[in-house]
Each structure stands twice: as C-alpha cells, then as structure tokens.
C-alpha cells in the first residue's frame, strides 16, 4: 500500500491511489490533471523524503462549497450584535497515480532546434558594446618640493 504526502495550497495531505479529497479552490479546470509537489513517499517497507523523479498525478473532479460557518459577536449590555459568515470554495480532486511517472520522466524530451548565441541574445551583446569602459585617469604625482623650505 503506497501512500504519499503532497503539498497543495500551503497544506499537506496524506493520499493514496483512488482517494478523493476536498482541497482549497485550485486554478485548474474540471477534468484536468496536474502534479502536486511531493514531500514524502512511503509504504511497502520503503520511505523517501523529497523523492526525485516520483510524481503524484491528481485529476480535478469538480468544485464544491464547504459547510456554512456563522460568526456571531455579542457584547452584553451594549446592544452590540454582529452576524457574519462564509462558505469556503473547495475543489474535489482524485489521486489517479502515485509514482507512475518515473518512466515518463526518465525519457529525454526531444530538444528544439538550438539557435546560435549570436541570434539568441543580440540585446545582451549590444548593451555590452554600447557601454565602453572609461579610460583610466592618470594619477597626479606628488610634488617634490612640498614641505621643503
């Protein structure tokens, strides 16, 4: 039974494959998959902190509203009463795979055609050429007859 600890929205969650959980609202559309930051992978007698090459794949199932939270403020004998509240906006995600992207991450991606440095960064060269170094100023030699009477 493999599990992972992921970080989403400043919070940490312990997840397993097939698990659904509610997290703070994400900027992902429904049906999209993403890879959250993995902090720990464990289970099956192994444990790895900050694993390299291990990814957790999550799919956005939908959005939801949290339970209504009501807040009441009251001060006795002053007539002060305030009532506010809110419902948190949440996103439901499903963990589809843990560590399945090791093989995909190991495959090298085809490199795009490389451009020579002269074409890639002409602005950097022109800035260096536009600002020549100032010529060194000659140092004034001390007068020989100072202090002699």
């Amino acid at each position: 039974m493999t599990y992972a600890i992921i970080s989403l929205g400043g919070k940490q969650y312990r997840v397993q494959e097939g698990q659904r959980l509610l997290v703070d609202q994400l900027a992902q559309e429904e049906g999209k998959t993403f890879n959250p930051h993995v902090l720990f992978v464990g289970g099956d007698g192994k444990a790895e902190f900050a694993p390299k090459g291990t990814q957790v794949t999550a799919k956005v199932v939908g959005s939801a509203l949290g339970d209504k939270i009501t807040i009441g403020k009251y001060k006795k004998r002053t007539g002060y009463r305030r009532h506010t509240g809110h419902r948190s906006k949440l996103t439901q995600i499903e963990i589809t795979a843990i560590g399945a992207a090791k093989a995909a991450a190991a495959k090298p991606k085809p490199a795009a055609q490389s451009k020579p440095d002269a074409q890639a960064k002409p602005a950097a060269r022109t800035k260096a050429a536009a600002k020549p170094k100032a010529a060194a100023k000659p140092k004034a030699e001390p007068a020989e007859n100072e202090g002699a009477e």
Side-chain angles (χ1 to χ4, degrees):
M1 178 161 82
T2 303
Y3 68 93
I5 297 177
I6 60 172
S7 176
L8 275 175
K11 297 179 183 175
Q12 297 176 4
Y13 301 94
R14 182 184 188 268
V15 296
Q16 295 176 343
E17 285 189 34
Q19 181 180 359
R20 288 187 173 199
L21 66 147
L22 289 171
V23 297
D24 289 336
Q25 187 175 25
L26 300 174
Q28 304 283 338
E29 295 180 19
E30 189 172 333
K32 299 285 183 176
T33 59
F34 66 99
N35 298 322
H37 181 67
V38 181
L39 302 173
F40 180 82
V41 174
D44 300 330
K46 301 177 194 172
E48 245 185 291
F49 286 100
K52 296 191 185 220
T54 303
Q55 291 184 344
V56 172
T57 306
K59 179 181 177 183
V60 176
V61 177
S63 59
L65 285 174
D67 294 335
K68 181 180 275 188
I69 297 174
T70 57
I71 301 153
K73 297 181 180 180
Y74 172 77
K75 293 184 181 178
K76 60 184 180 181
R77 293 190 295 270
T78 59
Y80 177 83
R81 292 179 185 165
R82 299 288 182 268
H83 296 282
T84 59
H86 71 91
R87 293 183 75 179
S88 299
K89 294 181 180 178
L90 304 171
T91 300
Q92 185 175 20
I93 63 171
E94 180 179 2
I95 306 302
T96 56
I98 295 178
K102 279 186 179 179
K107 292 181 183 177
K109 295 180 181 178
Q113 293 178 349
S114 62
K115 296 180 181 179
D117 290 339
Q119 293 177 356
K121 297 181 183 178
R125 289 187 178 195
T126 56
K127 286 181 184 178
K131 294 184 180 180
K133 292 185 179 180
K137 295 180 182 178
K139 294 183 179 179
E141 294 183 17
E144 296 176 10
N145 295 335
E146 284 185 32
E149 290 185 27

